[in-house]
Amino acid sequence: MTDEEQSTPKISFAEAGEDGRLHAPSAERNVDAILQVLRAHAPSEGKALEIASGTGQHIVHFARQLPELDWQPSEVDPARIESIRIWREKAGLANLREPVTLDATHPGWSVRHGGQILIMLSNLMHLIDTSSAQTLISESAQALAPLGRLMIYGPFFRDGRATSDGDSRFHAKIVQEHPTFGYKNDADMLGWLRETGLHIVETLAMPANNLTFIAERPDDK
């Protein structure tokens, strides 16, 4: 990815509050639906890495509601790293670590962030290109501990097509601003996950036409 592509696309919207924290309306809308999936499918304890933690809203909520997981936020955007720091300080949660700078679309990061029982990301796949998406999945698979799970939430094509006019317009807007980005196809996602050796646990339909892919690293025994 180019330096321009590594910055947060303008289509990923967040507004600044008076205390320096960023607020993304989309994060407020989907956080409870994602939490329900985590309650049902996340391992009960261990290291949990969130890729592209954005404003910090999601991971604070998840860390508060799932205290047995040791949560690690990450981001590439310095402004969002700072927002996550402020959200973390305000929350005062013992199981929420300082954010780290991580571009999960670059190869090699799994060596530094191994042993994760959970890796999750929300609303990122449509904001990166296909090669970057494949690298992210491959590195995530390597960073998982045995029986660790990867959860990927966001908007996706089904059978190569958008499922609503709103999704079609959103995809077109993304591609107009970043021609190599855009919605990924559900079948491609499942193929990329399987190619890494992960087992598909479930693909869940989510509110607002989104999907959550859940995959697990097999036990090494």
Side-chain angles (χ1 to χ4, degrees), residues 126-187:
H126 55 297
L127 303 181
I128 59 179
D129 61 36
T130 295
S131 176
S132 296
Q134 292 172 298
T135 297
L136 186 154
I137 289 173
S138 175
E139 289 292 321
S140 294
Q142 295 175 66
L144 287 173
L147 301 181
R149 290 191 167 185
L150 172 62
M151 299 189 183
I152 301 175
Y153 165 91
F156 296 91
F157 286 146
R158 273 75 148 185
D159 296 323
R161 297 187 298 273
T163 56
S164 71
D165 290 340
D167 279 315
S168 182
R169 289 192 297 270
F170 187 39
H171 170 73
K173 177 179 174 59
I174 294 170
V175 172
Q176 181 179 18
E177 296 185 9
H178 299 270
T180 62
F181 294 1
Y183 281 29
K184 308 301 182 286
N185 192 40
D186 56 353

Side-chain angles (χ1 to χ4, degrees), residues 178-196:
H178 299 270
T180 62
F181 294 1
Y183 281 29
K184 308 301 182 286
N185 192 40
D186 56 353
D188 291 334
M189 287 290 298
L190 292 171
W192 298 335
L193 289 163
R194 291 189 180 103
E195 285 170 4
T196 68

Side-chain angles (χ1 to χ4, degrees), residues 111-129:
V111 176
R112 302 186 303 278
H113 298 282
Q116 305 293 332
I117 200 66
L118 173 67
I119 297 176
M120 65 166 300
L121 62 147
S122 305
N123 291 324
L124 177 63
M125 284 298 188
H126 55 297
L127 303 181
I128 59 179
D129 61 36

Side-chain angles (χ1 to χ4, degrees), residues 6 31 34 50 52 64 67-68 78 91 94 96 108 112 120 137 148 157 168 179 194 198 202:
Q6 287 176 13
V31 66
I34 298 172
E50 184 181 37
R64 182 177 290 118
E68 299 306 315
L96 181 55
R112 302 186 303 278
M120 65 166 300
I137 289 173
F157 286 146
S168 182
R194 291 189 180 103
L198 297 179
E202 196 165 357

Side-chain angles (χ1 to χ4, degrees), residues 13 38-39 45 51 61 91 98 107 134 138 154-155 174 189 200:
F13 176 75
L38 288 169
R39 287 192 187 281
E45 60 183 359
I51 294 171
H61 190 65
E98 280 278 345
Q134 292 172 298
S138 175
I174 294 170
M189 287 290 298
I200 305 301

